[in-house]
Amino acid sequence: MTIDDFNFEDKKALIRVDFNVPLNDAFEVTDTNRIEAAKPTIIKILEDGGSAILMSHLGRPKGKANPDMSLSHIVDTVSEIIGVQVKFVPECVGPQVAEAVEQLQSGEILLLENLRFHAEEEAGDAAFAQQLAQWGDIYVNDAFGTAHRPHASTTIVASHFPGRKCFGYLLAREIDAIQTVMETGEKPVTAILGGAKVSSKITIIENILDKIDHLIIGGGMTYTFVKAQGGTVGDSICEPDKTDLALSILEQARAKGVQVHLPTDVVAADAFDNEAQTRIMPANAIEDGWQGLDAGPQTLEAFKAVILQSRTILWNGPVGVFEMPSFAKGTIAVGNCVAEATSLGAFSLVGGGDSVAAVKQFGFEDKVSYVSTGGGAMLESLEGRTLPGIAAIQEG
Ligand code: AMP
């Protein structure tokens, strides 16, 4: 059931949101994205004539109350964004909450205190989840960022709402985007995988090989593949103990008919430094004292051709050290290609890791189909794992 199947009139919706937002030294919210992302769900409930009880974590208080991580700091920001003055209780369970919930009227919003002030939250404690469950008639999970954790508020609480639980709009969009890439997307399907190390992406690669037509490999991962195939990588980042794994990935890809595209040239530098000397070198012949830090021009042309003919695109991981302007060009070029393919009708999902930061930094956010809000949750989804927070809703 989707949220649109429910009418929240006179109902209290218990909503797990992800308001784990960054605060500055004055405890002001410095990035409101996560609050804005939850707005459509909250508005739908209020417009139906219901009330919203919001629960979230903030930071890592490790089971103890910590005033620096109180959700009271975000009340004004949430009120401004939603357009309704939010009420706050300095607890998430107990008699004070019971009273505030009892008094809550249709159209009102109540924000509960940081769930992680109680160790029971992350422990997935059943009694704690049962206490939370008392606060709502319907349970709505709209927190993709924590959907991979079997915590009390994300997973365990859902068992108390048989037939009365659903995903919020944000979580539903995340699930749809993953499904499009993994199952229903138009072919050709292309995955662009970058980032530092092959070891952190191996499970993703093995899971998606059955679902894609093209695999573009970039970033630091490149050099383990280059070394595995007998090339020289100079001082580039490389995992020599993973070369067998790299060869096995290439063999699996061949067997499954997936075309693998590795860099043929790279921007090599004589130091890991934005001001370093740079030279374009063949990806498989990097000289000693030099390291590959970005994709080269020939490589980017080849990547462009593949990306532009793709109908479904997954992008995970930058193709260079994009944090340094001297080595950001490759990642920007890939972003431009993904944006162009999207404007030509492709579906593009950017998710799980630093490619999200890159897409935001370089202004591609509105030019791709979907940018995931959950790092770890997206990575686990791409690895093919069932997320406990999602399963808990789907179990009915
Ligand atoms: P990940 O979190 O696995 O997506 O890795 C992202 C990190 O990989 C970023 O911080 C990039 O700077 C880094 N990275 C990308 N390309 C390279 C490279 N050629 N050498 C070293 N680090 C790289």
Side-chain angles (χ1 to χ4, degrees):
M1 281 215 280
T2 75
I3 189 167
D4 289 322
D5 296 322
F6 288 89
N7 184 340
F8 288 85
E9 191 175 0
D10 296 327
K11 299 278 190 255
K12 292 186 164 115
L14 179 65
I15 317 176
R16 177 52 158 105
V17 288
D18 181 2
F19 283 175
N20 183 28
V21 289
L23 302 177
N24 62 17
D25 290 345
F27 300 107
E28 293 157 344
V29 180
T30 55
D31 180 347
T32 58
N33 272 335
R34 287 181 167 167
I35 300 171
E36 275 151 26
K39 183 173 175 176
T41 296
I42 298 168
I43 294 291
K44 142 81 182 164
I45 288 160
L46 300 187
E47 283 186 352
D48 273 2
S51 55
I53 296 139
L54 307 179
M55 51 180 182
S56 179
H57 74 284
L58 177 66
R60 293 171 185 231
K62 301 205 171 120
K64 290 200 180 67
N66 178 338
D68 289 356
M69 298 178 203
S70 170
L71 281 165
S72 62
H73 299 305
I74 74 165
V75 168
D76 289 346
T77 309
V78 180
S79 303
E80 237 165 76
I81 290 172
I82 310 292
V84 172
Q85 183 56 50
V86 171
K87 300 183 166 182
F88 177 76
V89 255
E91 247 309 352
C92 59
V93 288
Q96 234 185 320
V97 183
E99 200 186 323
V101 168
E102 176 67 34
Q103 287 171 4
L104 198 68
Q105 302 294 313
S106 291
E108 291 186 333
I109 301 174
L110 177 68
L111 176 64
L112 308 184
E113 182 56 287
N114 194 338
L115 292 157
R116 292 193 189 169
F117 285 180
H118 295 263
E120 292 89 339
E121 162 64 0
E122 288 180 88
D125 183 83
F128 181 71
Q130 192 174 13
Q131 290 183 65
L132 295 173
Q134 297 170 62
W135 311 141
D137 302 309
I138 299 170
Y139 170 68
V140 182
N141 190 352
D142 212 15
F144 182 65
T146 47
H148 59 315
R149 306 283 185 220
H151 295 169
S153 70
T154 64
T155 304
I156 315 302
V157 70
S159 65
H160 295 278
F161 296 88
R164 293 179 291 121
K165 55 188 168 182
C166 61
F167 301 119
Y169 290 118
L170 173 66
L171 190 32
R173 282 190 74 195
E174 297 274 0
I175 295 169
D176 277 354
I178 296 163
Q179 213 161 29
T180 304
V181 168
M182 297 296 211
E183 287 164 38
T184 59
E186 271 180 63
K187 285 176 161 293
V189 181
T190 297
I192 308 162
L193 293 189
K197 290 182 172 178
V198 69
S199 50
S200 63
K201 302 284 161 97
I202 180 66
T203 326
I204 295 181
I205 298 177
E206 289 183 335
N207 183 48
I208 61 175
L209 277 180
D210 281 327
K211 309 170 199 298
I212 60 176
D213 304 295
H214 295 275
L215 174 60
I216 290 178
I217 292 175
M221 271 202 288
T222 306
Y223 307 99
T224 304
F225 283 89
V226 167
K227 194 169 179 76
Q229 292 177 298
T232 54
V233 300
D235 296 347
S236 307
I237 187 171
C238 183
E239 294 171 279
D241 58 325
K242 296 288 182 297
T243 50
D244 286 349
L245 197 62
L247 289 178
S248 136
I249 289 170
L250 294 176
E251 182 44 44
Q252 287 177 56
R254 234 187 322 268
K256 292 175 196 276
V258 177
Q259 287 187 47
V260 178
H261 308 273
L262 276 157
T264 51
D265 62 346
V266 300
V267 179
D270 62 359
F272 190 80
D273 189 324
N274 191 45
E275 309 303 326
Q277 300 288 325
T278 61
R279 272 169 56 196
I280 305 297
M281 288 187 190
N284 62 359
I286 300 174
E287 294 166 27
D288 282 347
W290 293 79
Q291 50 188 305
L293 294 184
D294 199 6
Q298 195 184 37
T299 299
L300 291 171
E301 278 305 310
F303 285 1
K304 181 175 182 175
V306 177
I307 295 168
L308 288 188
Q309 55 135 330
S310 304
R311 298 294 296 161
T312 303
I313 300 164
L314 164 70
W315 184 15
N316 171 280
V319 299
V321 184
F322 75 100
E323 296 93 337
M324 298 187 208
S326 300
F327 309 107
K329 292 190 192 79
T331 300
I332 295 173
V334 167
N336 271 321
C337 295
V338 175
E340 193 177 336
T342 310
S343 74
L344 294 171
F347 177 86
S348 53
L349 164 63
V350 183
D354 274 344
S355 39
V356 171
V359 159
K360 289 184 179 173
Q361 183 178 330
F362 301 127
F364 294 119
E365 214 175 347
D366 298 329
K367 297 179 182 157
V368 298
S369 308
Y370 194 69
V371 181
S372 177
T373 58
M378 179 51 75
L379 289 176
E380 290 196 15
S381 301
L382 298 176
E383 288 173 351
R385 295 202 226 175
T386 305
L387 308 190
I390 291 177
I393 297 280
Q394 287 170 337
E395 275 155 14

